[in-house]
Every structure is written in structure tokens, then in C-alpha cells.
Amino acid sequence: MHTEHDSPLLRLRGLKIAYGGIQAVKGIELELHAGETVCLIGANGAGKTTTLNAIAGVLPIAGGDIHYKGERINAVPAHRRLRAGIALVPEGRGIFTRLTVEENLRMGAYSRSDAAGIAADLERVYTMLPRIKERLPQVAGTLSGGEQQMVAIGRALLSRPRLLLLDEPSMGLAPLVVEKIFEVVQSVAREGVTILLVEQNANLALEFAQRGYVMESGRITLTGSGSALLQDPKVRAAYLGEEV
């Protein structure tokens, strides 16, 4: 008998994704156990974002299987995956720029009807993101990039995720802001949320995650603990800009 603890929360088996006649993901294997933070690194166009979108259900798959909590979810639509606890913070943040910050956050809870639970989760997000609390009535499109990223993370947290898919949270942000964002993500991880992180900044991602997968041209070419990948000469040469 497998308990929930020793069987993976998420497992990709032979996952293939194609669009525009091009095979973007070519049969990958990947797993995440409950409570883990795992990163997916690789060059642009390696298939990382495509993989996250397929897990969230916003892109169809061409082959293989996605298992979540032990069940095959290939045909489950995106909104039902969100209800089941899979939340995606997309690349470019994807917030509603014409709505206020508070309206954006509440959109994360649109499938919930537990008013008291939503109020408690809002308070939790405000504690985690004090800068956002000060900006609740503000139109989200007027916020800085870093604040918009925090709103996007806060909105995802209001769906009470078990699995948080984070796509390029540091994209286009100043180093100090990136540090802030990762502090927030760290506190989310400490609450027991499982995180799959796609990140251009390989150094940051591998220091942050317990394990990592390296993706090249639609395939996983390396996997290991974050610290082992940080020491790997191939990784250092390709993604950390070092001469080996």
C-alpha cells in the first residue's frame, strides 16, 4: 500500500506536447512529492513553460500521462485542476490590469464559497505581502512589476493550492525585488505547499530548490539535488555562465 507521503503528488510519464506541428516536449519523466520545491531550468525554448501549462491544463498533451494525487488527469479541464489544488502563476504574471489589487486577489478564490475561509486566506496573504495590503484599492495595472508579481502569487494562494506552478517569477525584475519575491515563495513553501518553479536564473533556482531538472530541446537531460546540479560542470558552463 502506498501512502500519500511516499507516492508522488505529481508524476509526468512520457509526457509529449506538440503545437504548430512542432514537438515541444518529447516524452519527459518528472515527479514531485508533497512539500517539495523543485525547479526546472534550461535555455529559452527548451519546453519549460509548455510543461507547466500542460500540468495546469491550459495546453493539451500529445502523449504520455499526468498523474496528480495518484489519479490520471490528462482529460481534466483547467478549472477542475485549479479546484483540485493546482495553481499556475504564468510567465508575465497574467493579472487583470484594470481591476483593483483586491479584486485581483479575490479572483483567485472565485471557485470557493467559504466566505470565512476566504477572509482568513486574504489576511494570510496580507501578512505575507504587506506592500500589497497598502495597495488594495489601486488599479493593478499601475503597480510596479514586482508588486504585480506579488499580486499574481497572492491570487494563486487564494485558491488554496497544494501544487503551485511558478513560471519565471524573477523575469524582468531588479535583483532586490527578486530577493523579496523569493522570500515570499520561501514562506509559501514553509506552509507546506509543493512548488514547481521554472526560472531563467539557474543559480537562484538551484540554491532555492531541493531538487532540479535540466531541460534541453524538449527533453530532461539531467536531474539531481539543487546542490549537486549547482556543482555540475555542465550546468555551470551552460546556465551559470562559467568557463569550465
Side-chain angles (χ1 to χ4, degrees):
M1 270 292 288
H2 267 309
T3 67
E4 198 171 72
H5 293 293
D6 64 1
S7 63
L9 179 67
L10 176 76
R11 175 185 277 151
L12 308 183
R13 278 257 169 92
L15 186 72
K16 294 181 180 164
I17 310 160
Y19 53 87
I22 294 163
Q23 203 166 35
V25 174
K26 303 167 182 168
I28 63 168
E29 313 279 320
L30 179 149
E31 47 184 60
L32 264 91
H33 287 263
E36 272 194 309
T37 297
V38 173
C39 67
L40 191 53
I41 64 168
N44 265 334
K48 307 183 304 293
T49 291
T50 306
T51 300
L52 288 195
N53 286 339
I55 296 166
V58 294
L59 258 189
I61 67 173
D65 288 311
I66 302 173
H67 285 94
Y68 173 66
K69 295 201 284 198
E71 288 177 23
R72 188 167 171 267
I73 60 165
N74 295 15
V76 174
H79 66 274
R80 285 201 19 227
R81 294 188 200 190
L82 181 66
R83 279 203 185 110
I86 300 177
L88 170 68
V89 177
E91 190 183 350
R93 316 185 235 293
I95 64 167
F96 302 96
T97 51
R98 292 182 178 177
L99 298 183
T100 67
V101 168
E102 185 174 4
E103 286 165 340
N104 264 281
L105 291 172
R106 287 183 177 277
M107 287 297 278
Y110 80 95
S111 67
R112 293 171 57 184
S113 51
D114 54 322
I118 292 168
D121 285 352
L122 276 168
E123 282 310 317
R124 221 175 87 231
V125 166
Y126 298 156
T127 307
M128 216 182 263
L129 306 169
R131 287 181 61 180
I132 294 311
K133 186 173 185 180
E134 293 160 20
R135 304 213 178 346
L136 290 178
Q138 209 168 314
V139 173
T142 63
L143 299 182
S144 70
E147 288 164 346
Q148 289 188 17
Q149 185 62 271
M150 287 183 188
V151 170
I153 292 170
R155 185 182 64 189
L157 292 178
L158 272 150
S159 68
R160 285 224 171 142
R162 287 203 51 192
L163 172 62
L164 184 62
L165 308 170
L166 275 178
D167 196 1
E168 302 283 9
S170 77
M171 175 86 85
L173 301 178
L176 270 174
V177 181
V178 172
E179 211 171 291
K180 269 268 168 292
I181 297 284
F182 271 82
E183 276 169 23
V184 169
V185 178
Q186 192 109 53
S187 50
V188 173
R190 272 198 296 271
E191 290 195 347
V193 177
T194 308
I195 296 172
L196 180 57
L197 166 73
V198 161
E199 179 52 70
Q200 258 332 104
N201 183 333
N203 221 345
L204 184 66
L206 291 170
E207 277 175 14
F208 182 76
Q210 286 122 342
R211 292 192 302 114
Y213 289 87
V214 178
M215 200 167 186
E216 291 174 45
S217 315
R219 289 194 168 85
I220 300 248
T221 53
L222 263 178
T223 179
S225 70
S227 50
L229 290 175
L230 268 174
Q231 301 308 317
D232 188 293
K234 286 195 294 247
V235 174
R236 297 182 81 92
Y239 305 109
L240 309 179
E242 292 189 10
E243 297 290 327
V244 183

